[in-house]
Amino acid sequence: MKWHEKMLNIDRRWIYLILGVAVIVPAVVSFHVPVNVTPEVRRVYDFIEDLKPGDIFYVGIDYDPASLAELHPMAYAILDQCFRKDIKPVVATLSQFGAGMAEQVLSEVAAEYGKESGIDYCYLGYKPYPAITIMLMGVDFRVPFPQDYYGTPIDSIPMMRYVHNFDDLKGVISLSAGTSSEFWIIYGYGRYFMPLALGVTGVMAADYYPYLQSGQIFGLISGIKGAAEYEALTEYKGEGLKSIPYQTTTHVVILAFIIVSNIGYFASRRSKK
Amino acid sequence: MRKDLVWLFAGILFFGLLYLLNWGVKAISTDLLVWIGAFLTLAILSFLYQDNAFYKFAEHLFVGVSAAYWMCMGFWNTLVPNLIAKLHPPIVKGVLPAIAEKPPEYWYIIPAALGIMFLMRLSPKAPWISRWALAFIVGTTTGLNLVRYLRSDFLGQIKSTLIPVIVVENGSLSVGGSFSNIVIVVGVLCGLIYFFFSKEHKGLFGVASRVGIYILMITFGASFGYTVMARISLLVGRMRFLLGDWMGLLQ
């Protein structure tokens, strides 16, 4: 077997092993990687930063544990910013596996700031059928969510007494790993013209830039890089910034593999001629 | 199976060595749930080497737990509040006190009947009955989505493409803005030409079609790059869990 054939026939398990080592390297040798903030992430930060204390802002935790690594850091940083600014978040999830995670992140950040459920924030829990739930929230939050996650009727929650529909909110951010972000664009923005920002997984990011360009969303946080940018802006020490050195080493390895395989491919093409 | 046992013993030996070398063992988690999480993570990752019994166990466990969880969520979040609570509110007093006092809404019998008709798909004698319920769903979903999709994904996107190719900011030409708009307009036009098959892709039309392919390739490249980042994020997340939460090696 010639050298270029060997390059093209590397056992995939070697690739996994080298990637595994590349992921462990930053845990052993710590180093800093600077993060440049993109305008689409800054716009989300500026929007929340410009809200006044007491303003109500909707945060959708619309993802499941499979996307936790990418979207959880965004949720922590955004809720931290809300509580630091005394903004009152209304949190709900449109993902059936998201209810427990959303409760965990919300109660954890709220406890750091000594915020009380029902007064400083409201957790509505999970509702199925994102499109219908978003439309009904536009009519009245009491229709899809007659009570909050803990079983308290909405009208008995001090913070929600005067919150009826999207008119009473300043904006929406949906952290999404599925189609719910699309429904937020179609119904949240398209029907109710809510100022809307999205936090999406890396896989989804390229699909949502057209909505950013068309102005249907005012900001976009994409994947772990976006989460790291947001943490850099809010100075929140979360998993986003910590993940960047790991991303760097693994991306270097992947680039090296792409280069090696291309060299092998072109060398084998030449030898065939 | 013998190979699996070899791997199991190799794993025990590895952690035994860790213990003997006292590397990180001082900070290793004592939480049983973290240990279960670590075992299942390693069991799934073991598939990277080859299919094995540990992977199969973790996979089946995941499928089973997910299905059960999904069923319970469906019952408590759909059937209870949207059907049982509507037909007989006092029955849900313990779980939905906010709507237990409301009067019953008997017209919810219609969606209940449609739901039962849907289940007729399982019947070997009258599966055709489920088509009526399906037709209702298809009809309402189409009606709900058509106008909104047209507005947000069609008209909204066309509108955002009709932009000036020469951008003037504060009375002077913006080179960056103009270039960006030209890329958008040319990219959309050439992309559309590539998918226009009623005319042979020759001459100027062929050149535009070729540019369309390059634009598509760049788009796929960007998507692939983001996908790599996303998948690596998941790997990093699991590794940080193993090294940090479980073994206590990370600060």
Side-chain angles (χ1 to χ4, degrees):
Chain A
M1 194 183 274
K2 287 176 183 168
W3 64 272
H4 48 79
E5 284 171 348
K6 275 184 188 170
M7 281 170 95
L8 289 175
N9 290 302
I10 300 172
D11 190 330
R12 63 187 166 83
R13 286 173 288 200
W14 285 110
I15 297 171
Y16 296 144
L17 183 69
I18 295 167
L19 265 177
V21 172
V23 173
I24 293 170
V25 165
V28 181
V29 189
S30 63
F31 58 92
H32 175 71
V33 179
V35 174
N36 295 320
V37 179
T38 49
E40 56 268 26
V41 175
R42 184 175 285 280
R43 280 202 286 270
V44 182
Y45 171 80
D46 288 342
F47 184 88
I48 299 176
E49 204 64 15
D50 290 341
L51 296 178
K52 294 183 193 81
D55 280 348
I56 293 168
F57 188 70
Y58 180 95
V59 181
I61 309 279
D62 304 329
Y63 55 90
D64 54 18
S67 308
L68 182 141
E70 282 190 279
L71 299 175
H72 232 35
M74 294 180 201
Y76 273 101
I78 289 165
L79 287 171
D80 182 84
Q81 187 188 13
C82 286
F83 287 135
R84 182 169 45 77
K85 294 271 304 169
D86 285 328
I87 294 157
K88 298 182 174 191
V90 174
V91 180
T93 177
L94 302 175
S95 160
Q96 70 263 37
F97 294 108
M101 281 186 337
E103 207 265 338
Q104 176 230 336
V105 61
L106 184 58
S107 53
E108 219 172 279
V109 184
E112 275 176 39
Y113 285 89
K115 301 288 183 185
E116 257 184 81
S117 172
I119 295 166
D120 303 303
Y121 68 91
C122 177
Y123 179 43
L124 297 172
Y126 162 69
K127 267 289 153 194
Y129 312 115
I132 294 163
T133 307
I134 294 165
M135 276 197 284
L136 291 176
M137 280 197 279
V139 177
D140 194 331
F141 276 96
R142 283 152 189 78
V143 182
F145 297 103
Q147 59 186 38
D148 73 356
Y149 181 71
Y150 309 102
T152 314
I154 291 285
D155 285 319
S156 306
I157 299 171
M159 186 189 131
M160 294 300 283
R161 208 161 288 159
Y162 303 106
V163 177
H164 292 282
N165 52 37
F166 289 143
D167 292 341
D168 303 307
L169 304 178
K170 293 293 173 189
V172 170
I173 183 158
S174 167
L175 308 178
S176 164
T179 50
S180 56
S181 45
E182 214 167 289
F183 292 125
W184 272 112
I185 292 169
I186 297 167
Y187 299 108
Y189 177 81
R191 183 163 174 174
Y192 297 106
F193 299 105
M194 275 307 293
L196 173 68
L198 295 176
V200 296
T201 59
V203 177
M204 295 160 67
D207 295 339
Y208 284 87
Y209 272 92
Y211 297 109
L212 186 72
Q213 193 259 330
S214 66
Q216 287 165 293
I217 53 174
F218 68 83
L220 181 66
I221 311 176
S222 317
I224 198 70
K225 168 74 167 49
E229 290 174 38
Y230 209 87
E231 285 179 4
L233 284 167
T234 54
E235 293 175 6
Y236 182 80
K237 290 179 174 41
E239 289 293 311
L241 280 169
K242 286 177 192 166
S243 295
I244 293 300
Y246 296 85
Q247 288 281 344
T248 308
T249 50
T250 44
H251 277 72
V252 167
V253 168
I254 289 167
L255 280 173
F257 276 125
I258 291 172
I259 292 165
V260 165
S261 57
N262 272 284
I263 291 169
Y265 172 72
F266 284 110
S268 67
R269 246 178 41 159
R270 183 170 284 185
S271 73
K272 273 177 195 168
K273 281 177 186 173
Chain B
M1 187 65 197
R2 195 170 289 170
K3 258 185 184 174
D4 298 331
L5 282 173
V6 170
W7 277 103
L8 178 67
F9 287 123
I12 292 168
L13 193 70
F14 174 70
F15 293 112
L17 271 173
L18 277 185
Y19 184 82
L20 287 174
L21 293 169
N22 208 19
W23 184 55
V25 172
K26 278 176 191 167
I28 205 159
S29 174
T30 51
D31 188 340
L32 179 69
L33 291 175
V34 173
W35 274 84
I36 293 171
F39 168 72
L40 292 173
T41 303
L42 290 172
I44 291 288
L45 288 176
S46 69
F47 184 74
L48 294 176
Y49 183 73
Q50 66 178 32
D51 201 358
N52 61 76
F54 296 107
Y55 170 76
K56 278 201 168 70
F57 168 74
E59 188 189 33
H60 288 105
L61 186 73
F62 176 73
V63 171
V65 170
S66 298
Y69 184 82
W70 195 85
M71 264 186 76
C72 292
M73 291 298 277
F75 178 76
W76 289 108
N77 287 290
T78 308
L79 270 182
V80 172
N82 294 341
L83 183 67
I84 298 167
K86 301 288 181 186
L87 293 175
H88 188 61
I91 207 170
V92 296
K93 200 176 179 181
V95 284
L96 288 165
I99 48 176
E101 305 297 325
K102 289 185 175 174
E105 295 174 64
Y106 291 115
W107 66 271
Y108 271 81
I109 289 170
I110 300 167
L114 283 170
I116 293 163
M117 284 162 76
F118 217 166
L119 288 175
M120 292 303 283
R121 198 176 189 80
L122 303 171
S123 156
K125 285 183 181 171
W128 53 271
I129 293 176
S130 69
R131 286 186 205 151
W132 291 359
L134 193 66
F136 178 81
I137 291 169
V138 171
T140 46
T141 312
T142 309
L144 274 172
N145 287 342
L146 186 69
V147 180
R148 296 291 155 198
Y149 264 109
L150 267 176
R151 190 169 174 168
S152 67
D153 280 36
F154 191 67
L155 295 176
Q157 292 304 316
I158 291 174
K159 193 179 155 193
S160 66
T161 314
L162 302 174
I163 44 177
V165 287
I166 296 167
V167 179
V168 178
E169 277 177 359
N170 302 325
S172 59
L173 176 78
S174 165
V175 178
S178 301
F179 178 74
S180 179
N181 285 7
I182 288 168
V183 169
I184 290 170
V185 172
V186 171
V188 170
L189 288 176
C190 294
L192 286 172
I193 286 169
Y194 174 70
F195 287 106
F196 189 81
F197 302 117
S198 302
K199 183 176 160 52
E200 204 177 347
H201 291 188
K202 271 184 174 175
L204 190 63
F205 202 75
V207 172
S209 163
R210 196 87 192 144
V211 174
I213 294 176
Y214 291 134
I215 297 279
L216 286 173
M217 290 300 165
I218 292 167
T219 312
F220 295 148
S223 279
F224 176 70
Y226 268 119
T227 306
V228 168
M229 185 180 80
R231 299 297 177 236
I232 293 297
S233 299
L234 303 184
L235 176 67
V236 169
R238 284 296 82 197
M239 281 302 192
R240 284 187 62 81
F241 167 76
L242 289 175
L243 296 171
D245 296 6
W246 182 43
M247 298 182 78
L249 294 172
L250 300 177
Q251 291 298 315

